Amino acid sequence: MKDKTSNAVLIRGADLLSMAAGEEVRPRRCDVMIEDGRISELGPDLVPPPGVEIVQAEGRLVMPGLVNAHVHSSEMFYRGRYERMPLETWLCWSYPFLGTQPLDLDMLHLRSQLVAIESLRSGVTMISDDFFDPPAHDLERLGTVFRAYDEAGIRANVSSGLMNLPYLDTIAHARDVFPPDVQAQLDFPLIGTADYVSYCEEVFATLHGSGGGRLRYMLAPSGPQRCTVELMQACRDLSLKWQAPYHTHVLETRTQAVTADRLFGGSIVRFMQDHGLLHPGVLMAHAVWVTDADIELMGNAGVSISWNALANLRLGSGLAPVRRMLDAGVNVALGTDGASSNDTMRLFDVIRVAGMISSATTAGPGAGLSADEVLRAATLGGAQAAMLSGSTGSLEVGKQADLIILNLSNGTAFTPLSDVAKQLVYCENGGSVESVMVDGRFVIRGGIMQTLDEKAVLSEIRDRMAFYLREHERIEAENAFLIPLFDKVLERCAAEPVSIERRLP
Ligand SMILES: [Zn+2]
């Protein structure tokens, strides 16, 4: 027997839910040997060689860490702030157009730490953070986000999200409604494709692969209606060159579907196909207003979607036809979206909602997703969307040890115990998560965060928030006059039929 190093851990006596493809979603008694960050052995009653740290886990469930496929860390300070408004109006508050200053680096660092803390605490070991920080694409600022995730010990794909078309051209009727002087205020100078590409190359050469490989960069042109074709294609080329995800937003709202009819003659997805923008590295956020023809194209190309079921409810965007997407071969992952539209990083909340709601506009509850399918989306589906299904998302020999340990006796979610998978979906809220391991390292152990001084981070944020929110209220006041204008745009869009509705039975 080979000599085990001090980097080895044996988790003994647990029930294991592997989430491996082709395996039943049912726990089995199984020990887990972890060496140098990877799972080296799985099986009952593994014999621990000398020097191996043993973690007794009787009565515990070990499962893969959850993967959150769509986050905007930029919204983390706006939780619980806005309600009862659709995306297009909500954007004026969450991403104000006028009077903003870049968040200072200390606050940026704290904000990213808060994302990591809440994610890890609720069992999320990997996030895809579409970091949106206009107008800058700044290595120091992006590096601050990377540093926060590095210190926290989480796994993350992080972008420097962008749009490079004038915002008012990306929503139907906006140019007709907004007075010329307001249009002039909102028509900012935009970054060119060559500048963005050279910035991305710099990020790939520096930050990408940091944190021992845990932290990666991804491309994130905001949406086909918000970016030039040239930029979208340049991002595709970088995505293929670096094997990095191509993250974009597709048809989140009915207003976007109306806009798509005007800009693309009906189908954004067809437009993407025609311009070579569909490939297995594509991760579409939302995809609520897609047609059967779109779904077929998506399935054939092997794209992923982040189903942000809770955020879609929160902003009244609609219900994505997830049943049909899964059946067509689209890879489905789950996302919280940013804290301004959700309002937490607890993926278990999304899991529960995803299990609850009927998954298609024309299907009843019988056509919804099973608990097994929802759990797959939250683990291996998310890993595939992150282009990391070979290394995380399930517990198999050779994969990185990204796992969570749940104490099923802690709290009431599993008492009485009927079916672990269904109770993970319908009963659990993250409260049973006792320990969290990323890359073979405990980042939370026995309920205690090992990597950050959690209390100090939270307390510093609370101390600084009064000043921050006073400033944000000033920005809100400066942007408030835009709301009635966007309301008028939305009214005009609502009055216009949209082709997807004409096609639905
Ligand atoms: Zn988003």
Side-chain angles (χ1 to χ4, degrees):
M1 186 178 294
K2 67 179 170 158
D3 202 28
K4 307 287 179 187
T5 68
S6 58
N7 291 328
V9 175
L10 174 66
I11 301 176
R12 191 153 72 175
D15 290 324
L16 179 90
L17 192 64
S18 77
M19 297 310 300
E23 265 183 40
E24 258 196 316
V25 184
R26 201 161 297 276
R28 61 188 155 98
R29 181 60 49 89
C30 185
D31 296 348
V32 185
M33 178 70 79
I34 296 145
E35 289 176 89
D36 297 323
R38 287 177 189 275
I39 298 168
S40 60
E41 222 176 332
L42 288 168
D45 306 318
L46 297 183
V47 179
V52 172
E53 184 191 355
I54 296 174
V55 176
Q56 293 294 353
E58 286 80 8
R60 309 301 200 266
L61 179 76
V62 176
M63 66 177 284
L66 306 178
V67 179
N68 187 347
H70 188 61
V71 176
H72 298 288
S73 60
S74 331
E75 297 171 24
M76 201 57 185
F77 289 157
Y78 302 150
R79 58 171 25 146
R81 191 163 181 85
Y82 307 112
E83 65 178 356
R84 299 200 301 167
M85 55 181 87
L87 176 84
E88 289 77 10
T89 321
W90 166 94
L91 277 167
C92 290
W93 301 122
S94 301
Y95 295 91
F97 297 97
L98 304 172
T100 56
Q101 293 291 327
L103 189 67
D104 75 60
L105 289 176
D106 285 348
M107 282 294 264
L108 179 57
H109 184 235
L110 287 165
R111 191 176 71 183
S112 313
Q113 284 183 322
L114 184 59
V115 169
I117 288 170
E118 192 168 62
S119 301
L120 292 168
R121 273 256 165 247
S122 55
V124 171
T125 53
M126 153 95 212
I127 59 173
S128 289
D129 177 11
D130 185 13
F131 173 59
F132 197 67
D133 191 42
H137 294 282
D138 179 304
L139 210 56
E140 187 182 19
R141 297 181 64 76
L142 186 65
T144 302
V145 178
F146 271 73
R147 177 162 60 87
Y149 295 158
D150 189 15
E151 292 159 351
I154 199 166
R155 190 180 298 283
N157 285 347
V158 186
S159 76
S160 187
L162 85 159
M163 47 187 298
N164 77 333
L165 285 173
Y167 186 68
L168 295 177
D169 289 336
T170 69
I171 305 180
H173 297 293
R175 288 282 177 203
D176 308 330
V177 167
F178 278 66
D181 60 317
V182 181
Q183 293 193 31
Q185 285 185 73
L186 299 189
D187 286 341
F188 309 108
L190 297 156
I191 189 167
T193 299
D195 286 344
Y196 186 67
V197 167
S198 69
Y199 174 72
C200 290
E201 288 285 15
E202 206 180 343
V203 179
F204 278 119
T206 52
L207 298 172
H208 181 68
S210 57
R214 270 187 296 114
L215 305 173
R216 299 166 59 84
Y217 186 57
M218 62 178 181
L219 288 310
S222 178
Q225 79 279 29
R226 296 174 183 150
C227 298
T228 58
V229 173
E230 185 195 23
L231 179 81
M232 298 283 287
Q233 290 177 334
C235 288
R236 171 207 57 203
D237 294 345
L238 286 168
S239 156
L240 295 174
K241 174 179 171 187
W242 289 94
Q243 284 298 293
Y246 183 100
H247 183 291
T248 193
H249 295 77
V250 172
L251 292 170
E252 178 172 356
T253 64
R254 188 184 179 283
T255 300
Q256 289 180 8
V258 172
T259 303
D261 278 359
R262 289 176 161 234
L263 294 181
F264 306 107
S267 171
I268 279 184
V269 178
R270 162 64 61 189
F271 173 85
M272 290 180 77
Q273 165 81 7
D274 291 347
H275 291 83
L277 298 172
L278 293 184
H279 60 86
V282 170
L283 166 55
M284 295 179 178
H286 306 295
V288 174
W289 290 83
V290 288
T291 63
D292 283 344
D294 293 336
I295 291 170
E296 193 181 337
L297 290 174
M298 290 157 66
N300 290 343
V303 308
S304 298
I305 66 143
S306 177
W307 183 22
N308 310 316
L310 213 156
N312 292 154
L313 291 179
R314 183 82 155 78
L315 296 179
S317 303
L319 303 178
V322 179
R323 172 78 274 154
R324 282 184 276 147
M325 287 196 251
L326 265 184
D327 292 346
V330 174
N331 175 52
V332 174
L334 297 185
T336 56
D337 214 334
S340 187
S341 69
N342 185 308
D343 305 74
T344 95
M345 299 293 104
R346 284 194 307 266
L347 200 71
F348 270 115
D349 291 4
V350 182
I351 288 173
R352 185 158 191 261
V353 163
M356 293 281 183
I357 62 177
S358 167
S359 60
T361 45
T362 52
L369 270 57
S370 68
D372 292 3
E373 287 173 314
V374 173
L375 288 176
R376 280 213 194 287
T379 52
L380 200 53
Q384 186 178 328
M387 299 181 77
L388 294 173
S389 57
S391 55
T392 188
S394 61
L395 302 182
E396 299 175 72
V397 171
K399 282 197 165 186
Q400 301 299 132
D402 293 353
L403 57 84
I404 55 180
I405 303 178
L406 290 87
N407 183 347
L408 303 192
S409 311
N410 185 23
T412 54
F414 295 90
T415 301
L417 183 61
S418 173
D419 180 291
V420 166
K422 289 189 183 65
Q423 282 171 265
L424 281 168
V425 172
Y426 299 116
C427 309
E428 176 58 23
N429 65 1
S432 308
V433 175
E434 189 175 66
S435 297
V436 178
M437 178 180 270
V438 183
D439 243 359
R441 173 168 73 135
F442 278 113
V443 293
I444 294 176
R445 186 156 189 182
I448 297 166
M449 184 155 269
Q450 308 290 304
T451 49
L452 298 179
D453 185 344
E454 187 181 6
K455 279 203 171 108
V457 172
L458 302 188
S459 141
E460 194 172 352
I461 290 171
R462 283 193 293 267
D463 289 348
R464 287 168 173 252
M465 275 321 275
F467 174 79
Y468 173 81
L469 284 180
R470 262 202 310 280
E471 176 65 6
H472 188 63
E473 279 162 15
R474 181 194 62 72
I475 295 166
E476 286 175 336
E478 195 173 334
N479 285 271
F481 79 103
L482 297 170
I483 299 293
L485 293 167
F486 277 109
D487 282 344
K488 206 165 182 181
V489 169
L490 292 177
E491 250 172 59
R492 290 199 185 186
C493 287
E496 199 167 309
V498 51
S499 61
I500 178 173
E501 288 166 344
R502 289 197 290 271
R503 279 197 288 272
L504 288 172

